[in-house]
Amino acid sequence: LLSSLSSIGLCVAAIVATLADSEGTRVASAILFLVFLIFNRRYFGLREGLLVALSLLITGIAVWVLGEDVLQPVIFDLNRATYLCAFIMLMTSLRYGAMSSAAVLAIGRYMTGQTTGRRYFSLHVGGHFMGVLLNFGAIGLLGPLIKRGVDSKAHEVSPLLSALRLRRQISALCRGFSWFNLWAPTSIALAVVLTTVPGSRPGIIALSGMIIALIMLLVGWTEDRYFGARIRRRMESEGTLPERTPVPDFPLFELLRFLGVAFSLLALAWIIHIACDVSLAAGIMMAAVPTSILWIYVQWILRGDHSATKLTSRIGWLFRRTLPEGSPEAATLGLAGYMGLLGAKLVDRDWIVGVANLDGSNPAIICIAVTAIIPLASCLGLPPMMTVTFLGGLLASIPELSINPTVLGLSLLVGWSLNLTGSPFAATSLILSRVIGVSTIDYAWRWNGVFTLLSWAVVALAIYVLTGLLN
């Protein structure tokens, strides 16, 4: 009960602080973030415990460095941590509606049931747009669906072909998913970057992100076709090429229902955005739970089971269990964001510029380096949230670098997206390891290593061009 109440209290505090930003609301949300960590500790594992310890260490260093001036930045950054926690927990509520949605399952079966030539597009595009609404829930839902589909036909083909099918389908899904971060207003990454880098222009970031995401579809498809052609030639020479299976019917009605949920979320978020004068990301955060309740209600109507007890029980479960069960991911993002933001305030800017020889450097080269640092740091176990907030807060505060805030924001998002396919410690790697048992190293380096390197080369060129256009 206490974990549920502290989770609900944290979400309410984040919403109130967003609607009425003041010293009092910031202090209240900071306190409720600490209460949340205390009462939800039974959900935490080694990762969260380590992040708590590191947060305490950085806070201690801040007290030593800043002295009496430490209170204001600590409260401000804890307030941002509360917002990040609430954002991911409230967005997780949409996953609860999706878990029992027949429409989501039908769409997933259609995507995985395509012929080899169309399957990559289907899963890449499906993972991309389902991620917009479900966030990491898209991986948790569609990953096991792909695994079941591959296993159901394992007796018809060789073990090697089954393994290759799993590799190509999971890779297509996650590659598509990873790039929605660049433009979608429901993305936690975009919400973080827009608050970390003052002056970044969300419209230009979103438009550039859409173009890059489209290019990544072509890059991934090309790599997959090249890999698939090699396997096809090998199977043809061995006489083991399987027969084509019929494609399932297009789930038009189910797709319309799913799009109806997405439209409801965005419409309500837009109304909140206009009426309350908050960012669209904040509007989406506030609209998530009402949309989830509406989704649950529509499912209750469609099933024809008009038991009010079951309906209220399901809605109650959303608050009693779903929100608290999302606390590990929420705490990870909140704590990593807090450490990154506070850590950036403790660094001597002049020393950084001198040591790294950044003074007079080409801003494009710095931004391209940022896109590589984030996934590389993630490979060493550092959460991308911490790296993004640290680099964003630090570089945005050094005017001598002449970095365009919009280009910096896009670079941070690109690095975060590259991390999702290129790091064994990325959230996608960890989720897939848990739900389908795939090795995190196999997924990140063997399956997607070439794709990640190709993607980095392409986006490096895009960032170089965008820097020239905006500077």
Side-chain angles (χ1 to χ4, degrees):
L1 178 61
L2 291 176
S3 60
S4 299
L5 291 175
S6 63
S7 299
I8 295 169
L10 178 137
C11 293
V12 171
I15 291 173
V16 171
T18 301
L19 293 173
D21 186 24
S22 66
E23 186 68 26
T25 57
R26 286 195 292 270
V27 170
S29 67
I31 293 172
L32 282 167
F33 177 68
L34 300 177
V35 171
F36 164 81
L37 293 177
I38 293 170
F39 288 117
N40 285 271
R41 64 186 183 278
R42 66 188 181 94
Y43 291 102
F44 298 163
L46 179 61
R47 177 187 61 180
E48 292 78 29
L50 179 60
L51 289 174
V52 169
L54 289 174
S55 296
L56 291 173
L57 176 62
I58 290 177
T59 303
I61 295 172
V63 172
W64 178 55
V65 172
L66 300 177
E68 296 179 354
D69 299 326
V70 73
L71 192 59
Q72 185 174 358
V74 165
I75 290 175
F76 182 85
D77 292 342
L78 283 175
N79 179 59
R80 300 312 303 159
T82 304
Y83 176 86
L84 297 174
C85 259
F87 190 98
I88 194 64
M89 274 201 296
L90 292 171
M91 292 307 298
T92 300
S93 69
L94 292 167
R95 186 169 61 194
Y96 180 61
M99 291 290 288
S100 57
S101 171
V104 171
L105 289 176
I107 295 169
R109 291 193 186 100
Y110 177 78
M111 289 191 297
T112 59
Q114 299 301 301
T115 58
T116 303
R118 296 166 56 185
R119 188 181 295 135
Y120 185 90
F121 276 105
S122 174
L123 287 169
H124 185 112
V125 173
H128 187 84
F129 286 103
M130 291 189 79
V132 172
L133 185 60
L134 306 181
N135 214 290
F136 285 105
I139 302 297
L141 283 170
L142 297 180
L145 196 64
I146 290 173
K147 183 70 164 60
R148 287 202 300 269
V150 171
D151 289 347
S152 68
K153 298 179 181 178
H155 65 283
E156 302 173 4
V157 296
S158 66
L160 174 62
L161 182 56
S162 288
L164 291 172
R165 281 178 171 175
L166 182 66
R167 168 179 174 169
R168 294 179 71 184
Q169 292 184 43
I170 289 293
S171 295
L173 170 70
C174 295
R175 291 173 186 181
F177 169 82
S178 64
W179 293 98
F180 93 94
N181 280 312
L182 269 62
W183 65 269
T186 57
S187 161
I188 181 66
L190 185 58
V192 169
V193 166
L194 292 178
T195 57
T196 303
V197 184
S200 53
R201 299 164 66 183
I204 295 179
I205 289 178
L207 179 60
S208 304
M210 289 178 187
I211 295 171
I212 291 174
L214 180 60
I215 295 173
M216 290 303 108
L217 169 60
L218 300 177
V219 170
W221 179 80
T222 302
E223 190 272 345
D224 178 76
R225 295 303 289 169
Y226 176 76
F227 175 76
R230 289 171 48 203
I231 301 303
R232 185 180 181 86
R233 287 194 296 268
R234 174 178 170 181
M235 289 190 295
E236 285 177 341
S237 65
E238 296 174 351
T240 58
L241 192 66
E243 295 182 0
R244 290 189 175 185
T245 55
V247 176
D249 295 332
F250 184 74
L252 177 60
F253 180 63
E254 289 81 2
L255 179 61
L256 291 175
R257 280 161 51 191
F258 182 78
L259 291 176
V261 175
F263 177 79
S264 299
L265 175 67
L266 293 176
L268 181 56
W270 185 262
I271 291 171
I272 295 171
H273 161 64
I274 298 298
C276 302
D277 192 25
V278 296
S279 67
L280 184 58
I284 285 174
M285 176 182 76
M286 297 177 202
V289 167
T291 303
S292 300
I293 294 173
L294 176 63
W295 200 354
I296 293 168
Y297 176 75
V298 170
Q299 292 176 29
W300 177 72
I301 293 292
L302 291 175
R303 288 193 178 102
D305 181 5
H306 301 302
S307 169
T309 303
K310 289 185 179 180
L311 176 62
T312 54
S313 176
R314 285 205 64 199
I315 294 174
W317 188 266
L318 173 66
F319 294 99
R320 290 195 308 272
R321 294 296 300 274
T322 302
L323 290 182
E325 286 176 355
S327 59
E329 292 82 5
T332 297
L333 289 173
L335 289 166
Y338 169 75
M339 287 189 289
L341 290 168
L342 186 60
K345 293 182 174 71
L346 303 178
V347 175
D348 187 328
R349 273 77 170 157
D350 295 333
W351 180 80
I352 287 288
V353 171
V355 169
N357 196 26
L358 294 177
D359 194 18
S361 298
N362 188 331
I365 302 302
I366 297 174
C367 289
I368 291 170
V370 165
T371 66
I373 290 171
I374 295 167
L376 289 174
S378 180
C379 288
L380 298 175
L382 294 178
M385 171 70 78
M386 182 172 72
T387 313
V388 164
T389 51
F390 176 78
L391 289 175
L394 178 64
L395 295 176
S397 65
I398 305 178
E400 296 86 356
L401 300 180
S402 301
I403 299 177
N404 185 287
T406 301
V407 179
L408 176 59
L410 182 64
S411 303
L412 294 167
L413 291 169
V414 164
W416 201 323
S417 294
L418 290 170
N419 142 82
L420 292 174
T421 54
S423 170
F425 296 101
T428 44
S429 301
L430 299 174
I431 290 171
L432 289 171
S433 175
R434 186 176 74 249
V435 300
I436 67 172
V438 65
S439 163
T440 58
I441 291 178
D442 282 347
Y443 161 77
W445 293 346
R446 288 187 56 239
W447 295 6
N448 289 294
V450 172
F451 168 76
T452 303
L453 291 174
L454 288 172
S455 300
W456 180 80
V458 171
V459 295
L461 177 60
I463 287 171
Y464 190 87
V465 170
L466 187 63
T467 302
L469 292 174
L470 295 182
N471 279 354

